[in-house]
Every structure is written in structure tokens, then in C-alpha cells.
């Protein structure tokens, strides 16, 4: 029988990518309100362009001491943007704030335990990596996180905050076969020679991050494809919350309902239900019930019980699928308030999720493995 061969590509971005600036700011605002009032209702959208930060959305909270402008400037500084010439300046950027309260009609239903919106959410896990995530997206995250670390430690002092990675994996008979292509675009200052940058990124970013068993002379490595990448941040591109939802989830290896995560408190099932489905899917795989698992759930605004729930194991299940349904039904509660309680989602933990993916990382309750 002929081998089944296919290729799948995932990408990730650094903290200083314009879209991630926005996600980080939105989640930092959310955390600030949750820290003072754990029942805060927050739905924040951020746009960044041309040294301007626009903040809008809805907040209903008893928190009184939040200086949003000061918070935003501190977070931009934390990323590393302190000069308009590299894309953004925390000191001089214009910050425009236009925030209103949540709709009373929606709020009343959420108070009674209903979903904060209608929508469709997915969760996924597989046994390709020790994190129960697809290899390509985990490597993409690892590469940009290493770029950020080496920049902040000034080990590669010519690096600037903006950057992207892209990894293409070759699969054979539904198993990882090798790394086919790695692409990195790294913002840099005007003084570094491109040949030096490319050699450094290969040596200090790529080679320490990969499994050498999956890397060979045929693996294509492409660094700063078009050459110079001096202009970045909000000068090079416009940023927006929620525009990296595939980066945030499974890198395109699984479906996505379309709802973004960042800037939303846990009453918004776009976020909390996606976390819960990841939790369930990971535990199905980690407990040996299937090699791959994708879950879907849907909600109606203001209603507690999900409208639908679906499990797909792609023929990899080790027990009959109806038994997996029974285990999930008996072990996990998908009502919004129960999700929040189960995963402890009223704590100010969300700014830590906004870079390098929301899944496959230690320290979050939805990544815990339990016996089911």
C-alpha cells in the first residue's frame, strides 16, 4: 500500500507582533479588573496603529482604582517598545479609551448562570508531543519565545520586538515524519549584517529548539526571506485583538469556532468553554482513550445547558466512542458557571495566556491531567 503523505503548516508570533501587543493589553486590563473584583465583566478590544493605541469595549465592575492609560504604557514598556523608530514608544504613544458598560439584557441572563453569548467552540488534543499538542504549533511557539528571550536578555542585542515563525511538518501515514520547512522573520536594528543574523538565529534559536531526529539536510530553513526587517510594530502593521486565533489554539490542526479569547472574562464561553474542551480532550488522550480527540460544543446566549456536544476521535479510539461520551458526561459539567468553578477562572491569570498559545503550556488548570 502506498504511504499517505501530507504537509501541515503552523505559525506563531513574538510578543511584539502588533496583534499580540493588542491581545496582551486586553488581557492585562482584564486581569487588573479581576484583581479588584473577581466578578468583573470585561470584553475589551484593542487596536494599535502608527504609535496609537485604541481601547474600546464593555466593562461592568466594582473596581475603582484602575488607571488604564498607565497600565497600557507599562505593558508596552514590558514588551520592549521604547522608541517610535522600532515601531512604538510607551512614553509618547497616544492612548484613546472608549469603554462602556455591558448590556443589562445580557448581564441579567449571565447573572443567572447563562452563557455570555451564543457560539461554537472546539477543543483538541493528540499524542504527538508530551504536551498533547501538534508538533508544528508547539515548535512555532518555541521559536518565537526563544527570540523574545534572547532579545530581552540582550544575548542577540540587535533583535527588536516584532517577529514571526512558521513550521511545516511532513506526515506519513498520519504520523510525524520530519520537519519540512522552518521560516523565521525577526525584526532587527540597522547595524546588523544579515548573514550574521541568519547564522545566529540558526545557531541560537532554531537548533536548540528542535528534535534533531526530525531535522535533516533536506529540511528547508528560511530566515528573513525578503532581507531587511527594520520597520515593525505599529509602524509596520496594524494590530487588533483576536486576529491570531489559530496561533492561540492549535495552529490549524483542528477546527476553531471563530471566537477570540483575549480581553474576555470567563462568562464569555468563547474563552471558558474552549479552555474546558481542551481540558477534556487532553484528558481523553492522556488517559489512553484515544490518540486524537476533537470536541465541539455550542451555546445559546443566556442559557446554561449547551445546545450540542460532539466528540471526534478520528478512528483512534481505544474503547467504543459511546463509552467516551458517557465518561465525559459523568465527569465534566459544561454549564458556564460550572466551567468557571472547575477551572478557577475568576483569578487574574489571563495576561499570561496571551503569548505563545493558550494550550500546551504548564501552569494553567485546563492543562492538568486527571484520572477519568
Amino acid at each position: 500500500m502506498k504511504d499517505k503523505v501530507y504537509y501541515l503548516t503552523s505559525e506563531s508570533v513574538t510578543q511584539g507582533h502588533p496583534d499580540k501587543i493588542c491581545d496582551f493589553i486586553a488581557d492585562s486590563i482584564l486581569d487588573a479588573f479581576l484583581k479588584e473584583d473577581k466578578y468583573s465583566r470585561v470584553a475589551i478590544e484593542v487596536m494599535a496603529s502608527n504609535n496609537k493605541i485604541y481601547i474600546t469595549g464593555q466593562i461592568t465592575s466594582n473596581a475603582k482604582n484602575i488607571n488604564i492609560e498607565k497600565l497600557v504604557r507599562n505593558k508596552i514598556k514590558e514588551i520592549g517598545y521604547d522608541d517610535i523608530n522600532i515601531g512604538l514608544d510607551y512614553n509618547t504613544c497616544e492612548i484613546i479609551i472608549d469603554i462602556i458598560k455591558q448590556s443589562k439584557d445580557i448581564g441579567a441572563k449571565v447573572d443567572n448562570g447563562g452563557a455570555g453569548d451564543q457560539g461554537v467552540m472546539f477543543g483538541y488534543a493528540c499524542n504527538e508531543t508530551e504536551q498533547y499538542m501538534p508538533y508544528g504549533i508547539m515548535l512555532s511557539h518555541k521559536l518565537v519565545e526563544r527570540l523574545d528571550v534572547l532579545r530581552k536578555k540582550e544575548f542577540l542585542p540587535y533583535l527588536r520586538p516584532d517577529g514571526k515563525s512558521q513550521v511545516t511538518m511532513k506526515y506519513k501515514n498520519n504520523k510525524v515524519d520530519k520537519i519540512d520547512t522552518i521560516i523565521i522573520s525577526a525584526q532587527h536594528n540597522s547595524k546588523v549584517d544579515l548573514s550574521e543574523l541568519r547564522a545566529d538565529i540558526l545557531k541560537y534559536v532554531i537548533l536548540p529548539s528542535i528534535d534533531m531526529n526530525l531535522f535533516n539536510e533536506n529540511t528547508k530553513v528560511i530566515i528573513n526571506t525578503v532581507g531587511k526587517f527594520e520597520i515593525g510594530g505599529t509602524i509596520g502593521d496594524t494590530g487588533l485583538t483576536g486576529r491570531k486565533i489559530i496561533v492561540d489554539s492549535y495552529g490549524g490542526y483542528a477546527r476553531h469556532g471563530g471566537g477570540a479569547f483575549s480581553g474576555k472574562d470567563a462568562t464569555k464561553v468563547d474563552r471558558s468553554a474552549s479552555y474546558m474542551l481542551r481540558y477534556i480532550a487532553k484528558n481523553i488522550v492522556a488517559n489512553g482513550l484515544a490518540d486524537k480527540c476533537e470536541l465541539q460544543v455550542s451555546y445559546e446566549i443566556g442559557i446554561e445547558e449547551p445546545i450540542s456536544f460532539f466528540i471526534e476521535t478520528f478512528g483512534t479510539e481505544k474503547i467504543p466512542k459511546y463509552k467516551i461520551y458517557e465518561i465525559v458526561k459523568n465527569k465534566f459539567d459544561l454549564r458556564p458557571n460550572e466551567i468557571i468553578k472547575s477551572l478557577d477562572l475568576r483569578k487574574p491569570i489571563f495576561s499570561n495566556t496571551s503569548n505563545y498559545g493558550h494550550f500546551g503550556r504548564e501552569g494553567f488548570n485546563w492543562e492538568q491531567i486527571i484520572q477519568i
Side-chain angles (χ1 to χ4, degrees):
M1 182 181 293
K2 187 176 180 180
D3 289 335
K4 180 183 179 183
V5 175
Y6 58 91
Y7 299 81
L8 285 171
T9 301
S10 294
E11 68 165 352
S12 189
V13 296
T14 60
Q15 289 182 327
H17 185 282
D19 293 332
K20 279 296 154 196
I21 297 170
C22 296
D23 286 342
F24 185 50
I25 289 171
D27 275 336
S28 296
I29 293 171
L30 168 61
D31 279 355
F33 277 89
L34 290 176
K35 190 173 182 179
E36 285 200 22
D37 174 11
K38 67 180 183 179
Y39 295 104
S40 295
R41 302 277 172 72
V42 178
I44 288 294
E45 303 293 346
V46 180
M47 186 175 78
S49 179
N50 195 26
N51 210 37
K52 296 182 180 67
I53 306 292
Y54 303 82
I55 301 166
T56 188
Q58 298 82 40
I59 297 177
T60 300
S61 175
N62 291 319
K64 304 295 184 183
N65 301 308
I66 312 299
N67 185 329
I68 292 177
E69 179 176 339
K70 182 179 179 180
L71 172 68
V72 171
R73 293 192 189 280
N74 286 339
K75 294 303 173 180
I76 295 170
K77 180 181 180 182
E78 185 178 326
I79 294 169
Y81 278 115
D82 56 5
D83 186 342
I84 184 60
N85 293 311
I86 66 171
L88 184 61
D89 183 350
Y90 76 94
N91 273 310
T92 65
C93 65
E94 183 180 357
I95 298 176
I96 300 139
I97 301 171
D98 182 15
I99 296 173
I100 61 175
K101 289 188 175 183
Q102 184 185 50
S103 160
K104 291 182 179 180
D105 294 338
I106 296 174
K109 292 294 185 181
V110 173
D111 288 339
N112 293 326
D117 201 353
Q118 70 181 53
V120 178
M121 299 87 210
F122 287 90
Y124 181 76
C126 62
N127 58 9
E128 284 182 24
T129 62
E130 62 182 13
Q131 298 87 6
Y132 297 95
M133 289 284 287
Y135 191 95
I137 187 62
M138 292 307 296
L139 178 53
S140 295
H141 290 323
K142 189 181 294 186
L143 293 169
V144 292
E145 184 172 13
R146 192 156 178 82
L147 277 176
D148 281 330
V149 168
L150 295 178
R151 169 178 61 87
K152 290 185 173 184
K153 288 185 175 180
E154 298 187 350
F155 185 85
L156 299 179
Y158 53 77
L159 288 177
R160 297 294 179 255
D162 204 349
K164 300 180 78 171
S165 67
Q166 186 171 294
V167 175
T168 300
M169 299 299 299
K170 178 185 176 184
Y171 286 78
K172 185 182 289 186
N173 298 325
N174 295 318
K175 300 289 185 181
V176 169
D177 183 58
K178 73 162 195 166
I179 304 167
D180 181 78
T181 307
I182 295 173
I183 301 173
I184 289 184
S185 297
Q187 187 190 10
H188 57 85
N189 67 19
S190 61
K191 297 177 182 179
V192 67
D193 181 79
L194 281 173
S195 61
E196 177 189 356
L197 177 143
R198 286 168 174 152
D200 283 348
I201 288 179
L202 177 61
K203 182 177 180 180
Y204 297 115
V205 177
I206 295 174
L207 293 179
S209 301
I210 61 176
D211 180 349
M212 293 303 296
N213 294 319
L214 300 176
F215 186 88
N216 59 35
E217 67 277 3
N218 295 318
T219 300
K220 297 178 283 293
V221 176
I222 304 165
I223 300 168
N224 283 35
T225 314
V226 298
K228 292 182 179 180
F229 182 7
E230 296 176 16
I231 300 172
T234 68
I235 304 301
D237 194 7
T238 299
L240 192 66
T241 42
R243 199 158 56 180
K244 287 292 178 283
I245 57 175
I246 302 303
V247 171
D248 287 343
S249 54
Y250 306 102
Y253 284 66
R255 288 173 283 192
H256 196 294
F261 305 146
S262 290
K264 298 176 181 177
D265 74 85
T267 64
K268 282 72 173 173
V269 283
D270 281 339
R271 184 168 216 161
S272 54
S274 295
Y275 289 178
M276 190 64 172
L277 292 187
R278 162 63 181 173
Y279 181 51
I280 299 170
K282 182 175 182 177
N283 276 285
I284 288 171
V285 176
N287 280 270
L289 305 184
D291 293 336
K292 296 181 183 179
C293 183
E294 184 181 71
L295 308 177
Q296 186 208 60
V297 69
S298 65
Y299 292 91
E300 180 182 353
I301 190 168
I303 305 301
E304 282 191 276
E305 294 290 343
I307 301 301
S308 65
F309 179 70
F310 177 72
I311 299 176
E312 175 59 78
T313 49
F314 308 96
T316 69
E317 64 272 12
K318 309 304 179 184
I319 62 174
K321 198 181 292 187
Y322 78 87
K323 289 190 176 181
I324 299 177
Y325 270 102
E326 289 177 355
I327 290 169
V328 171
K329 183 178 179 181
N330 291 331
K331 189 73 178 180
F332 303 99
D333 194 328
L334 287 167
R335 291 176 296 172
N337 274 352
E338 296 307 312
I339 292 174
I340 292 170
K341 291 177 186 176
S342 176
L343 299 181
D344 201 10
L345 295 179
R346 295 201 185 275
K347 291 184 176 179
I349 59 168
F350 297 104
S351 62
N352 289 330
T353 69
S354 57
N355 292 289
Y356 321 125
H358 292 240
F359 308 123
R361 298 167 57 207
E362 294 299 319
F364 301 119
N365 286 339
W366 53 92
E367 292 297 326
Q368 293 182 85
I369 296 174
I370 61 173
Q371 186 173 356
I372 61 174

